[in-house]
Amino acid sequence: MKKKICILGSTGSIGKSTLEIISKNRNDFDVILLNGNSNFRLLISQAKKFKPKYIYSSNFYLTEKIKYFCIKNKIIIINDLNLLKKIKFDITIAAISGIAGLLPTLNIIKFSKKILIANKESIICGWKFIYKELKKNNCSFVPIDSEHFSIFNLIENKNMNSIKNIYLTASGGPFFGKNINLKKVTPLQAIKHPNWKMGKKISIDSANLMNKILEVIEASLIFNLPISKFKIIIHPQSLIHAVVEFKNGLSSMLYHHNNMKIPIANSLYSNFYINKASSNNLSFKKNLSFHDADIKKIPSIKILKLTKILNDKGFILINSLNEILVEKFMENKILFTDIVHKLLSILDSKVVKNHLKNHQIRHIKDVFKTYNFSRSLVN
Ligand code: NAD
Ligand code: MG
């Protein structure tokens, strides 16, 4: 039987990679729901090809643009996932970018048997709510951010107490080892990632290594291990994604070509083989190098030393402030280097310390209150 598929963020980089795998294997999958936020032309062309039953979008402007196409093609447009009825997706892919993905991810779990989550910001801001919903609805979960996908596989059937350290690799981004004035970096330069083709926000995060800081937080939540167990190492080839060092003296690492289709396809299938996803030559490359991540050259690493901030409220603040500062950089309102400098100085401010003392994250609404508070701190 074909697997029923739902894709949140189908017009983004992860969404498109997923649809490329599906389009090579039409007999295995039936795309039931697509979702996008602004690129209505791409969403329409995806809908023409995959003929979903539903398109979900909370963006009024996009909905207006696709309304007549959907009526003509008998596609139901919904602006709230809770309007879905009597449906269970075999696999959902959560690939909206940013905290905007949190509510859709939470809402889709009850309609899904299995969810592949790429959207790290939703995990960082709302893992305890996501986890509760996964358990309540008996929905299985696979992280598809490549580092987390690797750890997930490396620790399968292992005792968590046997883990000494976990290393997350970072490519170093487009500026690693280059003698350039980072203050003069433009958004266009910052989004040119050397190894991966990704959305704009994650590409900027990779350029100043904020992506790795977010990934350490994401990993500590998913695997329920303290932040101090995680180390960042620079690996410019992006072929090893994580290394798990065990207390028995053995270390395991996972190698795969730097193409997100590999973790996605291996999560869509239980028995996957490579020509189902790509005809590229993905053979084993031998020249691998690893370097220490130097805190003097990479200021974002300082965030992982702010132990008083490293709790659920602090994680939401770190993520929200970063999202807002990235937006400002993209609008040319602040310098590239300001993203981390401002983030560090705001996190160190009295107002943040007071907020952390006086507010609890009990309800999902508290996450968005913290997000709004973060917005008020950035000028
Ligand atoms: P992208 O910018 O290419 O795509 C984002 C998708 O989210 C688009 O479909 C867009 O329409 C949708 N979206 C954006 N804002 C929205 C909003 N307000 N409401 C609803 N939908 C909205 O991003 P991406 O590179 O595909 O990344 C998606 C997520 O996956 C991110 O959280 C990222 O960190 C994570 N991730 C991406 C990669 C990668 O290789 N691209 C790798 C690992 C993890
Ligand atoms: Mg990653």
Side-chain angles (χ1 to χ4, degrees), residues 80-91:
D80 178 351
L81 288 166
N82 291 310
L83 296 171
L84 287 169
K85 285 205 181 83
K86 287 189 192 154
I87 188 140
K88 230 13 172 185
F89 301 109
D90 292 297
I91 308 177

Side-chain angles (χ1 to χ4, degrees), residues 344-356:
L344 279 165
S345 77
I346 296 173
L347 288 175
D348 197 34
S349 67
K350 249 195 183 146
V351 56
V352 162
K353 283 177 191 147
N354 282 338
H355 182 86
L356 289 175

Side-chain angles (χ1 to χ4, degrees), residues 99 121 123-126 128 210 213-214 217 221 227 303-304 306-322 343 346-348 352-353 355-361 366-367 370-371 373-374 377:
I99 196 171
E121 297 89 345
I123 291 177
I124 294 166
C125 296
K128 72 174 175 191
M210 270 310 294
I213 308 304
L214 298 177
I217 298 172
L221 290 164
I227 295 275
I303 292 170
L304 296 179
L306 302 174
T307 45
K308 287 195 182 133
I309 310 273
L310 301 177
N311 51 48
D312 62 349
K313 281 170 285 172
F315 295 156
I316 303 167
L317 274 171
I318 294 167
N319 181 78
S320 305
L321 287 166
N322 181 57
L343 182 51
I346 296 173
L347 288 175
D348 197 34
V352 162
K353 283 177 191 147
H355 182 86
L356 289 175
K357 247 190 255 156
N358 300 326
H359 291 79
Q360 299 298 322
I361 305 296
D366 301 324
V367 174
T370 304
Y371 176 82
F373 169 70
S374 306
L377 298 173

Side-chain angles (χ1 to χ4, degrees), residues 2-8 10 14-34 46 49-52 89-93 116 261 264-269 272 274-278:
K2 286 187 180 187
K3 290 204 157 63
K4 294 193 188 78
I5 303 291
C6 161
I7 308 180
L8 302 178
S10 64
I14 294 285
K16 285 190 281 183
S17 294
T18 307
L19 286 174
E20 278 170 37
I21 299 166
I22 290 175
S23 76
K24 287 188 108 207
N25 304 281
R26 295 296 286 269
N27 292 334
D28 297 334
F29 303 104
D30 197 359
V31 177
I32 308 288
L33 185 147
L34 292 173
Q46 291 180 341
K49 186 167 174 185
F50 294 96
K51 304 190 174 17
F89 301 109
D90 292 297
I91 308 177
T92 288
I93 294 88
L116 319 184
K261 283 188 200 158
I264 299 170
N266 277 280
S267 311
L268 288 173
Y269 284 100
F272 165 73
I274 197 69
N275 60 359
K276 284 195 178 202
S278 173

Side-chain angles (χ1 to χ4, degrees), residues 120 145-148 202 211-212 215:
K120 66 192 70 174
D145 204 345
S146 63
E147 298 74 6
H148 308 74
I202 182 174
N211 185 48
K212 222 37 63 178
E215 289 184 347

Side-chain angles (χ1 to χ4, degrees), residues 100-156:
L102 177 54
L103 284 181
T105 299
L106 270 174
N107 286 334
I108 206 68
I109 290 174
K110 58 181 164 297
F111 300 109
S112 310
K113 291 183 188 164
K114 173 173 169 180
I115 187 162
L116 319 184
I117 306 187
N119 178 210
K120 66 192 70 174
E121 297 89 345
S122 70
I123 291 177
I124 294 166
C125 296
W127 176 247
K128 72 174 175 191
F129 302 105
I130 293 175
Y131 185 77
K132 204 169 148 196
E133 209 54 21
L134 289 170
K135 293 288 152 220
K136 189 171 142 197
N137 293 284
N138 200 17
C139 172
S140 63
F141 157 71
V142 181
I144 52 169
D145 204 345
S146 63
E147 298 74 6
H148 308 74
F149 175 79
S150 288
I151 301 168
F152 192 76
N153 281 278
L154 290 169
I155 66 173
E156 205 180 4

Side-chain angles (χ1 to χ4, degrees), residues 170 176 209 232-234 291-298 301:
F176 177 70
L209 274 88
I232 296 171
I233 42 170
I234 308 292
H291 312 265
D292 285 332
D294 182 353
I295 197 161
K296 284 192 211 111
K297 291 190 184 144
I298 309 168
I301 296 176

